[in-house]
Amino acid sequence: MKKISFHPKLLDTLPGYDAGQFGRDLSAGLTVGVLALPLAMAFAIASGMSPTAGIWTAIVAGFLISALGGSRVQIGGPTGAFIPILYGIVVEYGVQNLLVATMLAGAMLVLMGVFRVGNVIRFIPKTVVIGFTNGIAVVIFLAQIKDFLGLRIEHLPGEFFGKVHALFTHLDTLDVPTLALSVASLAVLLSWNGVARRYPALGRVPGPLGVLVVATVANAILHLPVETIGSRFGGIPQEIPPLALPDLTLATLGKLISPALTIALLGAIESLLSARVADATIEDRHDPNQELIGQGIANLIVPLFGGFAATGAIARTATNVRTGGRTPVAGMLHAGVLLAIVLALAPFARHIPLATLSAIVVVVAVNMGEWHEFRGLGRFSVNYRTTLLSTFLVTVVFDLTLAVELGMVLASLFFIYRMSDLTRVEREPLPELTLLPHFLYPDGSPRVVAYALYGSLFFGAIHKLETLLDPAERHPEVVILDMLHLVNLDTTGLEGLESLCKNLHRKGCALLLCTLNPQPESLIRRSGFAEEVGVNNLCADMYAALARAKVLLPSFMDEDNL
């Protein structure tokens, strides 16, 4: 294991940092800060938390993720992907236990970084990532129907079927003013970019912030009959929250391990995906393990301020890059911008309509899904389609942890099947037999046969050795295995070779191995199988194996030749 190191990307960017770069980082920080404000509140409310919790999650976690992470441009904070997970935890365990689960997840993320699990996260197949991403988008969309339509549901269940049943049975409580404002907000959001192209001044204002300001001002003036942050949450305090440890009891700690693991897993996947996407745009390479450590520390600390789970946000990170952010300073400044907004403008937040925040989350859900992958499923194999659709459906109906576990199991099984299919054992012709009659029995059948092994001889392909010799045929006296094209051998494959060797010896046959690649040869020698098969029976190539066979044929039962 490599030496554990703690080296935030910020340290690499400080040498040579100048006023010009600070100006670009400041511009990016201002833009991302105003974009993060409505998203933080919307994601918090959708997760069953207060808008204040969302804002302080963006401030505290956003600062720490940038300052301590392994990416130059990562922007951290609450994200839409966490909504169904956090909402389910709040419904089942309560807000205080969500804070505890967040801290546990933070500790897990730190350990993942320390033990260099960041590189392993990259091995999660694309099918699994697409499946759970699209599934999360559907779950988020379903959860927003209540506030989008203004349905009078006191407690929306976290479980899929209970949620659908509650929404369907309460459709008669639809509030027309809320629906009208939701549709209007959605229309403005969807048309914002098009209008901004015609009026460049609008292009400097993020769509979510623009619609939030317009709806809030309209509600403050017209006193619309819709639910607001003030009516549901009592507004946003204009102060820094006091530090406080969440309540913790040993009775619930064990129950929170699984939710915490889900938070940590999703946080690791989303943050590293975001960092990898950003790398391609700035021609840099993030440190995945340092990124996990930074994410973990942020999630350990943010609950002390009443905040909840945070991770790298792909959309905000992309905005940071587009507006000139190139160092972690931009992310730290974005947190400062949010802090300044809260301290200066918190009283106005009480007029923000929840319908508008719901419309913002709906757009986020639609945009986060890779729906084009469904349209193109016909181009891919049954294995690809099965893994993606299974992960998607289990995410929607059950939960993300089960979906990822199922997706990984399916992807692994299909990979094993594919690798097994690629592993071949084929009879290899030996032209020399026609020139050496004593290599043949009197009836013309061969005393020496050779087989070529292709691919990987592992636990999923060991059955290929079982059909190597036909019992109905006269058995040879020497069997040569040409392993030139065998790139990998595991312990189960080695066990198969040992079994083959013993069976051949019982029949009075000798086994020769030739043209071994480094990995199979290393395992064969380290395991002691080389002595079992005979050190002299490990041959450099086929010609050496045939020469060894000539020695063995007259007296292959002579132990001195083995």
Side-chain angles (χ1 to χ4, degrees):
M1 178 176 162
K2 294 183 179 179
K3 182 179 178 181
I4 297 172
S5 62
F6 181 80
H7 188 81
K9 206 71 169 182
L10 176 65
L11 300 179
D12 294 334
T13 62
L14 291 180
Y17 193 82
D18 55 23
Q21 185 57 58
F22 177 78
R24 292 187 289 272
D25 286 342
L26 178 60
S27 175
L30 287 168
T31 303
V32 179
V34 296
L35 170 63
L37 178 64
L39 295 178
M41 291 188 291
F43 293 156
I45 294 171
S47 301
M49 300 291 286
S50 69
T52 303
I55 291 174
W56 283 102
T57 300
I59 292 172
V60 178
F63 181 89
L64 293 173
I65 287 172
S66 293
L68 304 177
S71 169
R72 287 176 176 265
V73 293
Q74 182 86 279
I75 301 295
T79 66
F82 272 133
I83 290 174
I85 297 170
L86 303 184
Y87 184 80
I89 295 173
V90 170
V91 169
E92 186 170 355
Y93 301 104
V95 170
Q96 285 297 310
N97 285 322
L98 170 60
L99 304 186
V100 174
T102 298
M103 297 185 77
L104 287 175
M108 293 177 184
L109 285 166
V110 170
L111 291 175
M112 289 166 68
V114 168
F115 290 103
R116 312 187 72 81
V117 180
N119 297 316
V120 179
I121 296 293
R122 297 177 175 181
F123 296 155
I124 296 179
K126 176 184 177 183
T127 49
V128 177
V129 173
I130 294 172
F132 77 67
T133 300
N134 287 8
I136 287 171
V138 172
V139 175
I140 294 171
F141 183 86
L142 283 175
Q144 291 310 299
I145 293 176
K146 170 181 173 289
D147 285 336
F148 194 90
L149 301 181
L151 303 182
R152 295 185 181 90
I153 304 175
E154 186 174 353
H155 296 294
L156 188 65
E159 184 264 332
F160 173 77
F161 293 107
K163 185 179 298 179
V164 172
H165 179 265
L167 292 172
F168 182 78
T169 55
H170 287 81
L171 283 177
D172 58 339
T173 65
L174 181 147
D175 184 69
V176 175
T178 299
L179 176 60
L181 181 57
S182 297
V183 171
S185 300
L186 184 63
V188 173
L189 279 168
L190 296 177
S191 61
W192 187 270
N193 290 337
V195 175
R197 282 193 290 270
R198 295 181 59 185
Y199 302 97
L202 285 179
R204 301 173 185 173
V205 181
L209 180 65
V211 72
L212 185 71
V213 170
V214 171
T216 302
V217 171
N219 183 51
I221 296 173
L222 302 176
H223 302 289
L224 301 174
V226 296
E227 196 171 14
T228 65
I229 284 180
S231 64
R232 182 182 293 186
F233 302 102
I236 295 176
Q238 196 175 9
E239 60 184 11
I240 297 176
L243 295 179
L245 281 170
D247 295 333
L248 174 63
T249 61
L250 293 178
T252 59
L253 184 60
K255 299 178 182 179
L256 296 175
I257 297 296
S258 179
L261 182 60
T262 303
I263 294 172
L265 178 63
L266 179 57
I269 294 172
E270 188 171 10
S271 64
L272 295 184
L273 281 176
S274 175
R276 189 167 65 182
V277 171
D279 284 350
T281 59
I282 64 173
E283 298 181 356
D284 189 44
R285 179 174 296 178
H286 71 282
D287 180 344
N289 299 302
Q290 181 62 44
E291 183 64 23
L292 291 182
I293 292 174
Q295 299 279 343
I297 293 173
N299 281 281
L300 273 169
I301 294 177
V302 75
L304 302 179
F305 293 83
F308 52 92
T311 185
I314 296 176
R316 275 161 278 171
T317 298
T319 301
N320 181 39
V321 173
R322 285 198 305 268
T323 52
R326 288 297 181 274
T327 77
V329 174
M332 297 161 67
L333 289 172
H334 122 274
V337 170
L338 280 171
L339 177 61
I341 292 174
V342 170
L343 296 179
L345 303 176
F348 298 99
R350 62 187 306 272
H351 299 291
I352 296 176
L354 297 184
T356 298
L357 292 177
S358 177
I360 291 172
V361 177
V362 166
V363 172
V364 170
V366 172
N367 289 338
M368 75 180 292
E370 299 186 51
W371 312 112
H372 61 280
E373 293 289 344
F374 286 155
R375 294 194 299 270
L377 280 179
R379 304 194 310 269
F380 298 99
S381 66
V382 173
N383 298 352
Y384 183 99
R385 296 197 295 269
T386 301
T387 304
L388 192 155
L389 292 175
S390 298
T391 306
F392 170 75
L393 291 174
V394 173
T395 300
V396 172
V397 177
F398 298 104
D399 62 70
L400 175 68
T401 304
L402 181 60
V404 173
E405 290 171 354
L406 175 64
M408 291 299 293
V409 168
L410 288 175
S412 299
L413 290 176
F414 288 137
F415 175 77
I416 292 169
Y417 175 80
R418 179 59 177 159
M419 290 301 298
S420 172
D421 197 43
L422 292 174
T423 301
R424 308 193 316 275
V425 180
E426 297 181 355
R427 184 76 172 264
E428 190 168 355
L430 297 174
E432 290 84 353
L433 294 181
T434 60
L435 304 177
L436 300 170
H438 64 280
F439 271 29
L440 304 174
Y441 288 112
D443 62 1
S445 58
R447 300 174 69 188
V448 178
V449 295
Y451 295 88
L453 274 60
Y454 295 85
S456 174
L457 188 59
F458 69 114
F459 65 90
I462 190 62
H463 63 281
K464 298 292 180 75
L465 287 179
E466 297 173 358
T467 57
L468 192 145
L469 297 177
D470 187 351
E473 294 183 357
R474 185 173 185 176
H475 68 76
E477 298 178 18
V478 178
V479 175
I480 302 173
L481 294 184
D482 184 357
M483 305 177 78
L484 174 64
H485 302 289
L486 187 74
V487 296
N488 178 69
L489 174 70
D490 74 354
T491 53
T492 306
L494 177 66
E495 184 180 4
L497 290 176
E498 291 173 341
S499 178
L500 175 66
C501 182
K502 292 176 181 177
N503 290 336
L504 290 174
H505 281 180
R506 280 197 295 268
K507 295 178 180 180
C509 303
L511 177 65
L512 305 183
L513 307 178
C514 72
T515 330
L516 276 72
N517 284 306
Q519 190 276 332
E521 181 176 11
S522 174
L523 180 58
I524 286 171
R525 293 189 183 279
R526 285 185 288 109
S527 66
F529 180 56
E531 286 73 23
E532 183 179 341
V533 73
V535 175
N536 291 334
N537 292 345
L538 301 182
C539 306
D541 52 34
M542 182 59 68
Y543 295 102
L546 290 174
R548 175 63 177 163
K550 287 178 62 177
V551 175
L552 293 174
L553 280 176
S555 55
F556 57 85
M557 294 297 293
D558 185 350
E559 294 294 333
D560 294 336
N561 287 328
L562 297 179

